[in-house]
Amino acid sequence: MPNFKFNSDFVPVPKDFIEHIMPSSNASYVMVYLYIMFLACNGYSASTDEIAKKLGLIESDVINAIKYWNDKGIFSGTGDTIIVKKSVDEEISDDVSKKPVDEVTRIAEGDPKLADMFRLAQKVLGKTLSNKEIETLYWFYDQLGFSTDLIIMLVEQCVIKNIRNINYIEKVAITWHENNITTMAEAKAYTDKQKAESNYTSTLRKLFGIDDRNLSKTESLYIDTWRDELKMSVDMVGLAYDYCSIAIGKLSFPYINTILKRWAEQGITTVPEAERDHEQHKQDMSSSDDEMTATENISEIEARFMSAYDNNE
């Protein structure tokens, strides 16, 4: 059972969290953050299951929230002890060597491109740059090898998400660097792909009626498989969901997966093709089943049809 620790006798919420982090974060994650702040400030312990029950959430939401705040550098540790940081602006890595602000300022004075970059970054962020922000932005240029234009694009992409925290921006920069992004064209392709993936997932969540909670790891894996491996469009997944609902009356990721896998194996990639396949299966089963009666209704036919998909899994 994790222990939550914080050296304070009140519940502090950093203003940077309220202004820049909270607006773009999942509401249930914010609930978990605030409750853990309360636990930490009072020296209380609680399991993820207990926190979930207290907040009216499922335990996976609490676990995902803790991971989310860890990834943002606001929590640290995932074992028996979770440390809540005093500020969301603390360093996210101690091993990163950055030039001091005085040296960076001196370098920028002799380099018009760098000076312009800092001015633009300040304008995009809508605030005067702190020493840490100046040092970090220069680190992108000096150590990661980003051009000044790419750095501005990076900052703009974060601000579009309503996130201006330099720790978050730094994590995005490191991710770009790890993905060998060195040009604005590569960055645009990468962000467009991320946006498309996010839209794909959010559209399916709304279709499935589960946009009020976070996906489980297994659910996310299914959706990633449909998009990336089976190359199924949202419309194809939607059609499979319709057939699933008709057959068993509820959402079932494994059931939908069975249908989509079969279509992929048969090279069926469009809705008209899938609908024709669906009708052909119903006709084949109707003509081959000696026990089929005239009184059997369409829902029974659909259920039998979907059973055939299960047998092919």
Side-chain angles (χ1 to χ4, degrees), residues 13 32 45 57 68 94 111 138 247 255 280 295 307:
V13 179
V32 172
S45 298
L57 303 172
Y68 176 81
D94 295 329
D111 189 331
Y138 181 74
Y255 217 116
Q280 185 61 51
T295 59
S307 175

Side-chain angles (χ1 to χ4, degrees), residues 234-248:
V234 167
D235 289 339
M236 290 289 281
V237 178
L239 183 62
Y241 171 57
D242 287 343
Y243 293 159
C244 172
S245 299
I246 291 170
I248 63 176

Side-chain angles (χ1 to χ4, degrees), residues 38-55:
F38 161 75
L39 294 172
C41 290
N42 289 279
Y44 298 150
S45 298
S47 67
T48 51
D49 179 59
E50 289 170 337
I51 295 173
K53 288 177 181 177
K54 184 70 176 180
L55 299 178

Side-chain angles (χ1 to χ4, degrees), residues 216-229:
S216 69
K217 184 176 180 180
T218 300
E219 291 170 337
S220 295
L221 182 59
Y222 272 123
I223 290 178
D224 290 346
T225 299
W226 301 340
R227 183 191 63 235
D228 300 332
E229 294 182 22

Side-chain angles (χ1 to χ4, degrees), residues 141-177:
Y141 175 83
D142 183 48
Q143 296 297 317
L144 298 187
F146 287 3
S147 68
T148 56
D149 289 339
L150 185 61
I151 293 170
I152 293 302
M153 183 178 182
L154 166 66
V155 174
E156 287 174 340
Q157 289 297 318
C158 293
V159 171
I160 287 172
K161 297 179 180 179
N162 201 27
I163 298 177
R164 293 171 170 79
N165 179 265
I166 194 61
N167 286 342
Y168 182 90
I169 296 173
E170 182 172 344
K171 285 190 174 184
V172 175
I174 291 171
T175 299
W176 284 15
H177 180 68

Side-chain angles (χ1 to χ4, degrees), residues 6-176:
F6 197 107
N7 244 345
S8 181
D9 58 357
F10 59 93
V11 181
V13 179
K15 65 178 183 179
D16 193 56
F17 173 87
I18 295 173
E19 184 179 1
H20 301 306
I21 306 298
M22 186 176 69
S24 61
S25 298
N26 181 288
S28 62
Y29 288 6
V30 174
M31 288 173 59
V32 172
Y33 168 81
L34 293 174
Y35 190 70
I36 287 179
M37 290 288 282
F38 161 75
L39 294 172
C41 290
N42 289 279
Y44 298 150
S45 298
S47 67
T48 51
D49 179 59
E50 289 170 337
I51 295 173
K53 288 177 181 177
K54 184 70 176 180
L55 299 178
L57 303 172
I58 58 176
E59 187 175 11
S60 62
D61 283 345
V62 177
I63 294 171
N64 289 337
I66 292 173
K67 181 180 183 302
Y68 176 81
W69 296 125
N70 263 285
D71 290 344
K72 282 194 171 295
I74 294 174
F75 290 174
S76 63
T78 56
D80 292 334
T81 300
I82 295 174
I83 305 298
V84 181
K85 295 187 176 181
K86 293 181 295 181
S87 167
V88 298
D89 198 38
E90 291 183 14
E91 292 288 347
I92 62 171
S93 55
D94 295 329
D95 58 342
V96 174
S97 177
K98 296 171 183 171
K99 288 183 169 58
V101 66
D102 290 344
E103 184 176 351
V104 174
T105 301
R106 187 169 58 253
I107 294 171
E109 288 175 350
D111 189 331
K113 282 190 176 181
L114 279 176
D116 287 342
M117 180 194 75
F118 288 126
R119 281 194 292 270
L120 282 172
Q122 187 165 276
K123 183 177 180 180
V124 172
L125 290 169
K127 63 177 182 178
T128 301
L129 296 178
S130 67
N131 289 348
K132 178 183 175 181
E133 288 166 340
I134 292 172
E135 292 168 355
T136 302
L137 291 175
Y138 181 74
W139 183 76
F140 300 163
Y141 175 83
D142 183 48
Q143 296 297 317
L144 298 187
F146 287 3
S147 68
T148 56
D149 289 339
L150 185 61
I151 293 170
I152 293 302
M153 183 178 182
L154 166 66
V155 174
E156 287 174 340
Q157 289 297 318
C158 293
V159 171
I160 287 172
K161 297 179 180 179
N162 201 27
I163 298 177
R164 293 171 170 79
N165 179 265
I166 194 61
N167 286 342
Y168 182 90
I169 296 173
E170 182 172 344
K171 285 190 174 184
V172 175
I174 291 171
T175 299
W176 284 15

